[in-house]
Amino acid sequence: MTESQISSFLRARVPTCQAGYVCLKDFTQTTTSRPSDAYCGAYQGAVNEPAARIIAKVAQACGINPQVLLVTLQKEQGLVTHTWPSEWRYTIAMGQGCPDTAACDTRYYGFQNQVYGAARQFQVYGKSSYFTWYAPGKTWDVLYNPNRSCGSSRVYIENQATANLYYYTPYQPNGAALRAGYGTGDGCSSYGNRNFFNYFTDWFGSTQIGRASIVKAPDRAAMYLVTRGTKHLIPNEQELSIFLGPLGGYATVAQQYVDALPTGRPATRYVRDTRDGAVMILDAAGTKHWVQSFDTARRYGYAPDGFLELDPVQLDRYRAGAPVGDLFRADSSPDYFKWEAGQRRYVVNDLAFVQAASATSAHVVAIPSANVTSIPLGRPLLASGSLVKEAGSAEVYVVGASDEIMHIPSFALAAEAGATGYRVVPDGTLASYRKADASLALLVQCPTATYMTAGGALVKVDGLPVAMTAAPMPEGICSALPKSATTVSAPIFVKTPASPPIYVLDQGRFRHVRDQQRLQELNGSRPLQVLELSTSTLQSVGVGAPLLSDRALVRFGGPDIYVVERGELRYVPDSATLFSIAGTTSPAIEDLPREFESAYIKGAPLPAATQ
């Protein structure tokens, strides 16, 4: 890895560092020069060297794979992925000079000291005559834990690299540690070498490939993927990114080596597993995704037989991911599309993406830009049941499950219907959608039933209230909105969440039911059902004349006073009659708006007290 590749790798692990901390991707240090010796070459110190440069220079000076240094930084102090590292983590970054059974040696403190010291130590293990007890080619007892009572087992040390790991961290993971993945095992578990293996293979792929998979000749730009003894030209940077990380970077080799390899078709992310014939699309994240049919391959611009047959060992360096689905994007663009009926539908916003992605566990596949543009462009994709407005218009619509949209008169009423997600979209987005003739209303008529919009869902209505009609609603809108399990019938009672009064829907307006007796009379013997509406919705529909309690005294903006008897208004002709009804010389008379007077039935006037 070059300094640039190391830097990119660090930034990919931690895109954002917590405020007040310096993460490894941004760490710098003024380094000191070191002379060459039997184990490492010279290191020329400099002012404010970034961590990536220090790692690259140490790797070059000591002949150690920088990937090993990165993994050691992670397994010792978590520095590669840490988003709030303390200064102490840099002080003992590689755990160099910090044995499990004693305090750290201060001579090794400091980031450069740690990285250089650890890299040099790896060379010492192989070149010094002192380190012989984990010599390669032999089987050795390796402890499970610093606590010797936890025991040991025999381990065959195949090569110097493996020996180095056991010298540096002289314990092997027991069964509990291995079963735990990155987690915690038992009291005899140790994790250093287990974590080294996990991080290395997760980040850089299998440790079992002996030759470079990606090669280039000196002074040549062309890079080749070498698989199954054949070289395949990697045509562009996008395809290169698919292979570079999982297959372990590239190697510069002699031109004669490149020329001697047979030439195959250009490398592609569309590959075939030679073991079982499964075809897959590889992702730059180091994952492989099963293509469920050749029709799916054609959909995304791949000829069914246009795959690259990748060596199984190389293919196994990619983690298995979800199968390829209907969502896709160009690998050079952040825009997402959904494949539908031979067209690509642009996913307009986050609400549409979340809804589309939540409907499937399939992978969102990245494909070359040319493959994307070859798919005909269809209607933009909006989230069904969401609210949208074009930037240059004041009209807000609810989106149906197909190609319908319906105007909403208010956000409050839309919320009653369960439509709350709202986004502004570019002008022209709604041009290919059909606008319903009616607007969303309190009562709506779907093709199969009548509903009331209440409490965040459509509530089925069995019979409309008197003098009320339902606004027609297209099937696509109906199916996009949530349905309540409740069914109501007239008379329909409602209340607001924050207020106890109950209202009845009567002739297009809500009327306050003033007492329990009137409520029971209206409801009859059926179980009482009261729907909840917001205050805004209640007021937008309109609050009409209340249902008055018996013996209540009212007047309507004038001198005439009425008493309520069995739901009728009876005129009170004189003060003596008024006092006899009220039982006091100071009767409580409610003043109601004049327009409410016509809502009541008037009975015969009361006889005057003097008659």
Side-chain angles (χ1 to χ4, degrees):
M1 297 173 77
T2 64
E3 177 190 340
S4 175
Q5 289 171 330
I6 295 170
S7 179
S8 296
F9 176 83
L10 294 177
R11 294 185 183 283
R13 304 285 83 71
V14 179
T16 305
C17 194
Q18 288 193 28
Y21 293 90
V22 177
C23 291
L24 190 58
K25 65 186 178 74
D26 299 314
F27 177 84
T28 62
Q29 180 184 15
T30 297
T31 57
T32 58
S33 296
R34 291 177 179 269
S36 62
D37 62 12
Y39 306 108
C40 288
Y43 186 107
Q44 184 62 47
V47 175
N48 292 334
E49 288 198 289
R53 184 172 304 159
I54 295 170
I55 294 167
K57 287 173 66 173
V58 167
Q60 185 67 32
C62 295
I64 296 293
N65 181 356
Q67 294 171 350
V68 169
L69 302 181
L70 288 166
V71 170
T72 306
L73 284 166
Q74 178 68 13
K75 73 104 166 172
E76 290 291 339
Q77 293 296 331
L79 270 175
V80 173
T81 60
H82 214 297
T83 59
W84 47 280
S86 64
E87 184 178 350
W88 178 249
R89 292 183 186 271
Y90 291 104
T91 302
I92 57 169
M94 301 283 277
Q96 173 67 2
C98 291
D100 293 308
T101 55
C104 294
D105 189 334
T106 58
R107 292 177 300 169
Y108 295 98
Y109 281 4
F111 184 77
Q112 182 203 11
N113 270 351
Q114 284 283 302
V115 177
Y116 189 93
R120 184 178 181 278
Q121 191 64 40
F122 284 139
Q123 289 291 13
V124 170
Y125 293 145
K127 296 178 180 180
S128 169
S129 59
Y130 176 75
F131 292 94
T132 59
W133 58 93
Y134 289 140
K138 296 182 181 180
T139 299
W140 300 89
D141 278 322
V142 180
L143 292 168
Y144 289 118
N145 191 278
N147 181 352
R148 289 182 172 271
S149 65
C150 288
S152 63
S153 70
R154 305 283 283 172
V155 176
Y156 177 72
I157 306 297
E158 183 172 337
N159 55 44
Q160 188 62 48
T162 301
N164 286 355
L165 293 182
Y166 284 115
Y167 286 132
Y168 202 87
T169 305
Y171 311 104
Q172 61 167 310
N174 64 3
L178 292 173
R179 288 190 296 273
Y182 280 105
T184 302
D186 59 23
C188 282
S189 293
S190 65
Y191 308 103
N193 284 316
R194 180 204 69 176
N195 288 350
F196 186 101
F197 177 83
N198 285 349
Y199 284 122
F200 195 100
T201 54
D202 282 352
W203 289 349
F204 306 116
S206 170
T207 61
Q208 303 306 308
I209 294 180
R211 296 185 179 89
S213 296
I214 301 172
V215 300
K216 68 179 292 293
D219 304 322
R220 301 289 178 91
M223 288 196 178
Y224 297 88
L225 172 66
V226 181
T227 182
R228 306 177 76 233
T230 301
K231 69 175 184 287
H232 302 266
L233 177 67
I234 301 176
N236 51 51
E237 289 187 6
Q238 285 74 33
E239 297 300 318
L240 178 62
S241 69
I242 299 296
F243 300 107
L244 201 56
L247 298 185
Y250 70 91
T252 301
V253 298
Q255 183 66 53
Q256 294 92 323
Y257 172 75
V258 176
D259 293 341
L261 290 168
T263 301
R265 65 177 60 179
T268 172
R269 70 193 72 185
Y270 175 53
V271 300
R272 179 177 178 270
D273 190 337
T274 58
R275 292 165 294 193
D276 58 12
V279 291
M280 307 174 188
I281 294 179
L282 305 179
D283 193 276
T287 51
K288 55 189 175 188
H289 304 274
W290 176 48
V291 179
Q292 301 176 65
S293 70
F294 285 133
D295 285 340
T296 302
R298 290 189 191 94
R299 165 197 306 180
Y300 293 128
Y302 296 107
D305 61 351
F307 47 71
L308 174 70
E309 289 197 325
L310 201 60
D311 187 291
V313 175
Q314 293 170 319
L315 188 57
D316 287 346
R317 298 184 77 166
Y318 292 83
R319 302 185 307 278
V324 172
D326 293 335
L327 289 172
F328 64 99
R329 66 175 181 86
D331 51 17
S332 59
S333 169
D335 293 336
Y336 291 95
F337 296 89
K338 183 182 181 183
W339 191 93
E340 190 175 286
Q343 296 182 318
R344 57 184 164 105
R345 298 186 62 188
Y346 171 59
V347 181
V348 175
N349 53 39
D350 58 323
L351 294 177
F353 179 82
V354 168
Q355 187 178 85
S358 63
T360 175
S361 60
H363 174 62
V364 181
V365 66
I367 59 177
S369 299
N371 295 30
V372 172
T373 55
S374 67
I375 305 172
L377 187 63
R379 187 175 67 255
L381 182 68
L382 296 164
S384 62
S386 68
L387 304 176
V388 296
K389 178 187 91 70
E390 289 189 343
S393 170
E395 298 294 316
V396 181
Y397 299 90
V398 59
V399 180
S402 52
D403 63 345
E404 306 99 339
I405 55 176
M406 188 177 198
H407 173 259
I408 64 162
S410 70
F411 285 106
L413 188 61
E416 302 292 358
T420 55
Y422 169 64
R423 295 292 185 272
V424 177
V425 298
D427 290 339
T429 301
L430 303 180
S432 55
Y433 281 81
R434 294 187 294 117
K435 296 180 175 65
D437 293 333
S439 292
L440 183 66
L442 184 69
L443 292 169
V444 293
Q445 183 64 55
C446 290
T448 58
T450 302
Y451 293 93
M452 180 170 172
T453 55
L458 298 183
V459 180
K460 190 174 182 181
V461 176
D462 186 11
L464 285 171
V466 175
M468 291 202 71
T469 59
M473 179 183 279
E475 172 59 29
I477 306 291
C478 291
S479 62
L481 297 174
K483 308 293 189 302
S484 169
T486 301
T487 298
V488 296
S489 58
I492 297 173
F493 301 106
V494 304
K495 66 181 289 294
T496 62
S499 178
I502 294 177
Y503 298 83
V504 63
L505 184 58
D506 181 45
Q507 300 188 51
R509 295 173 75 82
F510 289 110
R511 302 183 66 185
H512 181 197
V513 183
R514 289 286 183 84
D515 59 59
Q516 187 66 29
Q517 180 180 344
R518 291 304 304 275
L519 180 63
Q520 189 168 342
E521 289 172 357
L522 291 169
N523 189 60
S525 60
R526 64 183 184 169
L528 179 64
Q529 292 178 298
V530 182
L531 303 179
E532 283 197 351
L533 290 178
S534 69
T535 302
S536 297
T537 302
L538 194 74
Q539 293 173 346
S540 66
V541 174
V543 177
L547 296 181
L548 299 171
S549 303
D550 271 358
R551 310 300 292 171
L553 296 167
V554 296
R555 58 189 166 206
F556 301 92
D560 292 344
I561 299 173
Y562 298 88
V563 64
V564 180
E565 288 189 353
R566 294 185 292 278
E568 294 183 345
L569 297 183
R570 299 189 67 185
Y571 175 66
V572 180
D574 54 39
S575 58
T577 303
L578 175 64
F579 296 149
S580 67
I581 293 170
T584 176
T585 57
S586 301
I589 303 169
E590 183 176 4
D591 287 297
L592 294 176
R594 184 177 296 278
E595 61 267 22
F596 282 4
E597 187 172 357
S598 61
Y600 300 98
I601 298 172
K602 290 185 177 178
L606 292 176
T610 56
Q611 295 179 345

